[in-house]
Amino acid sequence: MAAQMTDAHRRFLQVLMSHGIVEGSEARKLHKHCCEVHNVYYAHDKLADFISTINRHLQPLFMQIRKGMSEDDGRAHYALVNLAETEITKMASDYTENELELFRKTMDLIILSENGFASSTDILNLADQLKTKKMKKKEAEQVLKVFVEDKWLSERNGEFTLHTRCIIEMEQYILSNYQDVARKCNICHSLAIQSQVCESCGIGMHLPCIRKYFRAQTEPRCPQCNDFWTCDIP
């Protein structure tokens, strides 16, 4: 018999809805806390089962809790995803048309780049080229700040990339709309934005996956074609 939704499951879901995304260790703590508060059976290795129960009840609502990986450090994250909406309708209630256009253009720069990043200079240069309504650079800077706060973008030293939340939520959209350039990691099989690519066969791998994979190898060879891995191992 399928497990029933309890108040522990509901509390977990409410917290996730308010945060949008939680890191794996926080999700495990939250799982324990919810079970203890509501006097529900808890086992430290049953988080996946606990989330599966929530997902079964979310299915008719076209929503799902999905697990993804941070491209920076390889840590697991959990995000609540709306399966019934595209990325545009998902964001449309929060942003204006020209803000959405700036986001799409920023996404283009990031996905089409070699390293999965776009500089603030390149993004701000797009602000006065928007078709919907041009933005002043100061205004665009503020919008970028909001995208970071809302966990659609991450920023590091003036360079922007897609936040883990964005990658989890928009994986299918990106794979469908950037078919020529978007690739999945050869190791973990999820979307890879920040990645290295084999010069011989063209497969890509996340940097954390590369670190983990080559740690166990005597010499760095591509897992697909076995040619020598020419990129610097992070």
mmCIF file of all heavy atoms in Angstrom, residues 196-200 214 220-222 227-233:
data_model
loop_
_atom_site.group_PDB
_atom_site.id
_atom_site.type_symbol
_atom_site.label_atom_id
_atom_site.label_comp_id
_atom_site.label_asym_id
_atom_site.label_seq_id
_atom_site.Cartn_x
_atom_site.Cartn_y
_atom_site.Cartn_z
ATOM 1 N N GLN A 196 33.625 20.542 -18.869
ATOM 2 C CA GLN A 196 34.742 20.388 -19.799
ATOM 3 C C GLN A 196 34.300 19.408 -20.875
ATOM 4 O O GLN A 196 33.482 18.523 -20.625
ATOM 5 C CB GLN A 196 35.980 19.851 -19.075
ATOM 6 C CG GLN A 196 36.641 20.871 -18.163
ATOM 7 C CD GLN A 196 37.904 20.328 -17.510
ATOM 8 O OE1 GLN A 196 38.296 19.179 -17.702
ATOM 9 N NE2 GLN A 196 38.559 21.176 -16.723
ATOM 10 N N VAL A 197 34.857 19.590 -22.072
ATOM 11 C CA VAL A 197 34.438 18.779 -23.224
ATOM 12 C C VAL A 197 35.640 18.042 -23.797
ATOM 13 O O VAL A 197 36.724 18.617 -23.932
ATOM 14 C CB VAL A 197 33.797 19.684 -24.308
ATOM 15 C CG1 VAL A 197 33.418 18.875 -25.541
ATOM 16 C CG2 VAL A 197 32.563 20.389 -23.747
ATOM 17 N N CYS A 198 35.452 16.767 -24.110
ATOM 18 C CA CYS A 198 36.522 15.978 -24.727
ATOM 19 C C CYS A 198 36.795 16.504 -26.137
ATOM 20 O O CYS A 198 35.861 16.633 -26.945
ATOM 21 C CB CYS A 198 36.118 14.508 -24.785
ATOM 22 S SG CYS A 198 37.317 13.476 -25.662
ATOM 23 N N GLU A 199 38.053 16.795 -26.421
ATOM 24 C CA GLU A 199 38.406 17.336 -27.742
ATOM 25 C C GLU A 199 38.232 16.295 -28.844
ATOM 26 O O GLU A 199 38.071 16.635 -30.007
ATOM 27 C CB GLU A 199 39.854 17.843 -27.729
ATOM 28 C CG GLU A 199 40.019 19.128 -26.930
ATOM 29 C CD GLU A 199 41.432 19.689 -27.029
ATOM 30 O OE1 GLU A 199 42.269 19.075 -27.734
ATOM 31 O OE2 GLU A 199 41.685 20.736 -26.407
ATOM 32 N N SER A 200 38.270 15.014 -28.482
ATOM 33 C CA SER A 200 38.171 13.956 -29.491
ATOM 34 C C SER A 200 36.735 13.587 -29.841
ATOM 35 O O SER A 200 36.363 13.546 -31.007
ATOM 36 C CB SER A 200 38.911 12.701 -29.016
ATOM 37 O OG SER A 200 40.267 13.004 -28.785
ATOM 38 N N PHE A 214 38.231 11.125 -12.255
ATOM 39 C CA PHE A 214 39.665 10.950 -12.506
ATOM 40 C C PHE A 214 40.461 10.626 -11.246
ATOM 41 O O PHE A 214 41.594 10.168 -11.332
ATOM 42 C CB PHE A 214 40.246 12.174 -13.219
ATOM 43 C CG PHE A 214 39.845 12.256 -14.680
ATOM 44 C CD1 PHE A 214 39.352 13.425 -15.213
ATOM 45 C CD2 PHE A 214 39.962 11.146 -15.505
ATOM 46 C CE1 PHE A 214 38.972 13.502 -16.553
ATOM 47 C CE2 PHE A 214 39.593 11.207 -16.834
ATOM 48 C CZ PHE A 214 39.094 12.380 -17.365
ATOM 49 N N PRO A 220 44.374 10.346 -16.858
ATOM 50 C CA PRO A 220 43.098 10.927 -17.310
ATOM 51 C C PRO A 220 42.756 10.591 -18.764
ATOM 52 O O PRO A 220 43.321 11.154 -19.695
ATOM 53 C CB PRO A 220 43.322 12.438 -17.131
ATOM 54 C CG PRO A 220 44.800 12.615 -17.221
ATOM 55 C CD PRO A 220 45.427 11.356 -16.725
ATOM 56 N N ARG A 221 41.844 9.645 -18.915
ATOM 57 C CA ARG A 221 41.384 9.275 -20.258
ATOM 58 C C ARG A 221 39.867 9.413 -20.320
ATOM 59 O O ARG A 221 39.174 9.138 -19.352
ATOM 60 C CB ARG A 221 41.808 7.845 -20.612
ATOM 61 C CG ARG A 221 43.302 7.706 -20.806
ATOM 62 C CD ARG A 221 43.714 6.438 -21.520
ATOM 63 N NE ARG A 221 45.126 6.501 -21.870
ATOM 64 C CZ ARG A 221 45.589 7.021 -23.012
ATOM 65 N NH1 ARG A 221 44.730 7.501 -23.889
ATOM 66 N NH2 ARG A 221 46.880 7.054 -23.268
ATOM 67 N N CYS A 222 39.373 9.853 -21.472
ATOM 68 C CA CYS A 222 37.935 10.064 -21.666
ATOM 69 C C CYS A 222 37.169 8.760 -21.425
ATOM 70 O O CYS A 222 37.541 7.717 -21.984
ATOM 71 C CB CYS A 222 37.688 10.569 -23.088
ATOM 72 S SG CYS A 222 35.933 10.702 -23.509
ATOM 73 N N ASP A 227 40.504 8.483 -25.268
ATOM 74 C CA ASP A 227 41.624 9.361 -25.616
ATOM 75 C C ASP A 227 42.068 10.132 -24.373
ATOM 76 O O ASP A 227 41.305 10.305 -23.417
ATOM 77 C CB ASP A 227 41.182 10.372 -26.702
ATOM 78 C CG ASP A 227 41.440 9.815 -28.097
ATOM 79 O OD1 ASP A 227 41.755 8.608 -28.200
ATOM 80 O OD2 ASP A 227 41.296 10.577 -29.065
ATOM 81 N N PHE A 228 43.298 10.632 -24.396
ATOM 82 C CA PHE A 228 43.853 11.381 -23.270
ATOM 83 C C PHE A 228 43.024 12.647 -23.039
ATOM 84 O O PHE A 228 42.671 13.349 -23.993
ATOM 85 C CB PHE A 228 45.308 11.751 -23.537
ATOM 86 C CG PHE A 228 46.035 12.226 -22.323
ATOM 87 C CD1 PHE A 228 46.497 11.326 -21.366
ATOM 88 C CD2 PHE A 228 46.251 13.576 -22.133
ATOM 89 C CE1 PHE A 228 47.161 11.793 -20.235
ATOM 90 C CE2 PHE A 228 46.903 14.050 -20.999
ATOM 91 C CZ PHE A 228 47.363 13.144 -20.045
ATOM 92 N N TRP A 229 42.674 12.936 -21.773
ATOM 93 C CA TRP A 229 41.876 14.116 -21.417
ATOM 94 C C TRP A 229 42.802 15.330 -21.378
ATOM 95 O O TRP A 229 43.661 15.441 -20.510
ATOM 96 C CB TRP A 229 41.193 13.896 -20.068
ATOM 97 C CG TRP A 229 40.100 14.902 -19.788
ATOM 98 C CD1 TRP A 229 40.203 16.037 -19.068
ATOM 99 C CD2 TRP A 229 38.755 14.852 -20.250
ATOM 100 N NE1 TRP A 229 39.005 16.702 -19.053
ATOM 101 C CE2 TRP A 229 38.092 15.986 -19.768
ATOM 102 C CE3 TRP A 229 38.043 13.934 -21.041
ATOM 103 C CZ2 TRP A 229 36.750 16.248 -20.031
ATOM 104 C CZ3 TRP A 229 36.717 14.187 -21.307
ATOM 105 C CH2 TRP A 229 36.081 15.333 -20.813
ATOM 106 N N THR A 230 42.639 16.228 -22.334
ATOM 107 C CA THR A 230 43.601 17.328 -22.495
ATOM 108 C C THR A 230 43.325 18.527 -21.593
ATOM 109 O O THR A 230 44.191 19.368 -21.381
ATOM 110 C CB THR A 230 43.613 17.810 -23.970
ATOM 111 O OG1 THR A 230 42.280 18.127 -24.351
ATOM 112 C CG2 THR A 230 44.167 16.733 -24.885
ATOM 113 N N CYS A 231 42.091 18.652 -21.051
ATOM 114 C CA CYS A 231 41.769 19.790 -20.193
ATOM 115 C C CYS A 231 42.444 19.637 -18.833
ATOM 116 O O CYS A 231 42.711 18.524 -18.377
ATOM 117 C CB CYS A 231 40.251 19.911 -19.974
ATOM 118 S SG CYS A 231 39.300 19.975 -21.500
ATOM 119 N N ASP A 232 42.687 20.775 -18.183
ATOM 120 C CA ASP A 232 43.227 20.747 -16.826
ATOM 121 C C ASP A 232 42.166 20.186 -15.877
ATOM 122 O O ASP A 232 41.046 20.714 -15.811
ATOM 123 C CB ASP A 232 43.631 22.151 -16.362
ATOM 124 C CG ASP A 232 44.851 22.667 -17.130
ATOM 125 O OD1 ASP A 232 45.639 21.820 -17.610
ATOM 126 O OD2 ASP A 232 45.001 23.892 -17.258
ATOM 127 N N ILE A 233 42.531 19.183 -15.110
ATOM 128 C CA ILE A 233 41.566 18.578 -14.190
ATOM 129 C C ILE A 233 41.404 19.500 -12.982
ATOM 130 O O ILE A 233 42.399 19.878 -12.358
ATOM 131 C CB ILE A 233 42.025 17.168 -13.769
ATOM 132 C CG1 ILE A 233 41.998 16.258 -14.995
ATOM 133 C CG2 ILE A 233 41.121 16.598 -12.682
ATOM 134 C CD1 ILE A 233 42.775 15.014 -14.880
#
